[in-house]
Amino acid sequence: MDPEDEFVLRELRAADSSAVVLAYLTEDLIEAAYTVGGAYERLLELRGRLGLTELTTEALTPDLRELLVQLVDPRSVVERREQITVADPHARTGDLLAAVVHAVDDPATICALAAEPDERLARLVRRRLLLAGVEDVDLDVQVGLDLEERLADPDLIITQLPYQAAETRSKFTALAGIERVADLLGPGRTALVLGPADALVDELSDIKEAQLRSALLRSGVVEAVIDLPGGVTPYRPGYRCALWVLTRDPVQAAHGYVLLADVSAEPPNEQVRARLAEDVLIWRAEGHRSGHDPRYGHVVSVASLDEKFGGPLTPPGPPASQTLSRTVTERPALIAEAEGRLERAGEQARQYADEHVRSRVNVVRRTGRRPATTTVRTLVAERRITKVSGHRLAPEHVVPDGHHTVLGPEEIGGGPVGARRIDRAVLATYRNAAFTEPGDIVYTTSPRFGLMVDHEGLSIVAFPARILRVVPDSECPLAPRVLAALLGAARNTGRSPGAVRAARSIEDFVVPDLDPTDMRRADVFLADIERRQELLHTQDDTLTEIRRLTVAGLADSTLTIDDP
């Protein structure tokens, strides 16, 4: 099977009797994975947990590997040429080559070339690609730094430049590595080179580095430059990466231009990957195309980049698709609408102030006997308030567009009221479901104590929130607004950082039992304060929206402010 000892012969000869146990475990693993190749890939997926740290340091996230495969598009290349050669001059553990092999329908249509200076890793790559389905005669993994094209000229090159620590990193070396990859490309062939962002996209201050990068751009081989998000190399979280896409002799409509894309602030999810790949593939196939504008960058002339010698390779502004989007074109109308709401809110505030002239509150220090204190437990026993449990709603039944507002810890904690709702037909499936009544105090003790007054009613309270309902026809009626304020100010109601529950339950909260006169005056005072706060909050929210829309327009250069 391995007469030239390229794959596993020496490892088998070096094994002792302890390998017998591993052989049985291997059989079980293959049975579980259905194929030998699947079992081998499973082991490599778990290499970090298995303690093989030397195999994980250069690993990329699955999202980035998927993006690279989408950018080289091996399936369409196989359809055009039937057999393709894929190369990686810096193979390491062969992650990128294996990703390309797994992306095609028939691995036998791929010829794999690779170079790796570490002989142990080179043997691992040979085994991995062989088990992935690449034919032995179509597999050439060389031990060394330079890739020799012995089997065939590569159709696709996908590689990651060797990591260099920031203290000793040479940007010139990284750019020279890209130049060596470009020399391997034949006409119409494509390469993807992943490397340090400070060399590939950032501003260069060194003359030689800037000259080399400028020469690469002028050579016409650079198709796209992509600034990638951070964290794509999990075991080197501080290492920023960028990607160069190279194509020898691109289509005529792309001559003299390069696509600059920036997804550094985007999550590399499926939608972002698909859009970015579409931008690059359309640019590769057709060059300038009037019907498609890149979603994450700009097409820039090489001449303009050469004028900014050593300047950063980042898009000069937001994508055209963003500046021409409906959200952007409607900004002036949205700002004008918000200005109208602000004027109306200001008029309402002035009208309320004129109709409710607020004299200075005559607050004086109390003398004589203080009011007696009581607890929530006592108020319940005296039938002055009642406790009502919340409903255990299934998460999938709480939606943004239902008929009835849902109140729970999220709303009590300051979240927008009305963002969570439930459909009336769904609510009918709950036995004993009941709405809140106007004036109900909705409270929760988890994750922390909080409460609010539902002045409108007809809401649904979601567990763990509960209700304190004031009995209006009791002997000494309470004002819900005042009772809620007193409960919020009660002493010793918090929870220490290490505790799993509050020091006391709400039944033990102690509040003063105000006489009817004090209760009525406090209710009027609090109602006036709440109304004025509501009017001010409306103006504040509108001003915040106007500021957000205007700053967004100034930031993407789609708005300007006329001199009034």
Side-chain angles (χ1 to χ4, degrees), residues 396-413:
E396 62 270 17
H397 292 164
V398 180
V399 295
D401 54 354
H403 297 96
H404 300 290
T405 300
V406 174
L407 300 178
E410 293 85 350
E411 288 74 19
I412 296 173

Side-chain angles (χ1 to χ4, degrees), residues 305-484:
L305 294 176
D306 210 26
E307 290 177 0
K308 303 174 183 178
F309 183 73
L313 300 183
T314 53
S321 57
Q322 178 178 327
T323 58
L324 298 177
S325 67
R326 184 176 179 181
T327 303
V328 173
T329 56
E330 291 182 352
R331 269 189 195 139
L334 293 174
I335 293 174
E337 181 183 346
E339 291 281 5
R341 292 202 308 272
L342 180 63
E343 292 180 3
R344 291 191 294 272
E347 181 61 31
Q348 289 177 357
R350 287 189 293 272
Q351 182 179 355
Y352 182 83
D354 293 339
E355 294 176 357
H356 302 79
V357 179
R358 185 173 184 272
S359 59
R360 184 173 178 179
V361 181
N362 188 24
V363 178
V364 296
R365 184 176 179 83
R366 182 187 293 272
T367 58
R369 289 187 59 184
R370 294 184 179 182
T373 59
T374 186
T375 64
V376 172
R377 191 187 311 277
T378 302
L379 294 175
V380 172
E382 295 174 350
R383 301 186 182 278
R384 297 170 67 184
I385 61 174
T386 58
K387 286 184 62 179
V388 181
S389 300
H391 300 83
R392 297 181 182 270
L393 303 178
E396 62 270 17
H397 292 164
V398 180
V399 295
D401 54 354
H403 297 96
H404 300 290
T405 300
V406 174
L407 300 178
E410 293 85 350
E411 288 74 19
I412 296 173
V417 176
R420 301 193 308 150
R421 308 180 73 86
I422 187 170
D423 188 272
R424 64 165 69 98
V426 174
L427 183 63
T429 63
Y430 287 86
R431 297 182 60 186
N432 303 322
F435 297 114
T436 58
E437 297 179 1
D440 278 355
I441 302 173
V442 183
Y443 74 94
T444 182
T445 57
S446 177
R448 60 185 60 85
F449 176 73
L451 48 77
M452 63 181 295
V453 179
D454 183 13
H455 296 289
E456 304 296 330
L458 292 179
S459 300
I460 297 296
V461 175
F463 182 84
R466 296 178 176 87
I467 299 172
L468 289 179
R469 180 169 294 160
V470 173
V471 178
D473 54 356
S474 63
E475 184 177 346
C476 296
L478 300 168
R481 189 180 285 109
V482 178
L483 177 59

Side-chain angles (χ1 to χ4, degrees), residues 65-81 84 86 99-101 103-105 110 155-158 190-192 223 245 277-278 280-282 284-285:
R65 291 201 300 269
E66 179 63 28
L67 172 62
L68 298 180
V69 171
Q70 289 178 276
L71 292 175
V72 295
D73 194 18
R75 286 191 177 184
S76 64
V77 181
V78 169
E79 290 176 359
R80 295 195 305 268
R81 301 174 186 167
I84 64 171
V86 183
V100 174
V101 172
V104 300
D105 296 327
I110 287 185
D155 298 293
L156 298 174
I157 299 176
I158 180 169
T190 298
L192 265 63
E223 177 179 273
V245 184
E278 184 181 25
V280 174
L281 293 177
I282 290 178
R284 181 182 304 159

Side-chain angles (χ1 to χ4, degrees), residues 96-120:
L96 299 180
L97 287 176
V100 174
V101 172
H102 293 143
V104 300
D105 296 327
D106 183 8
T109 60
I110 287 185
C111 174
L113 301 178
E116 171 54 46
D118 188 332
E119 184 179 9
R120 188 171 64 90

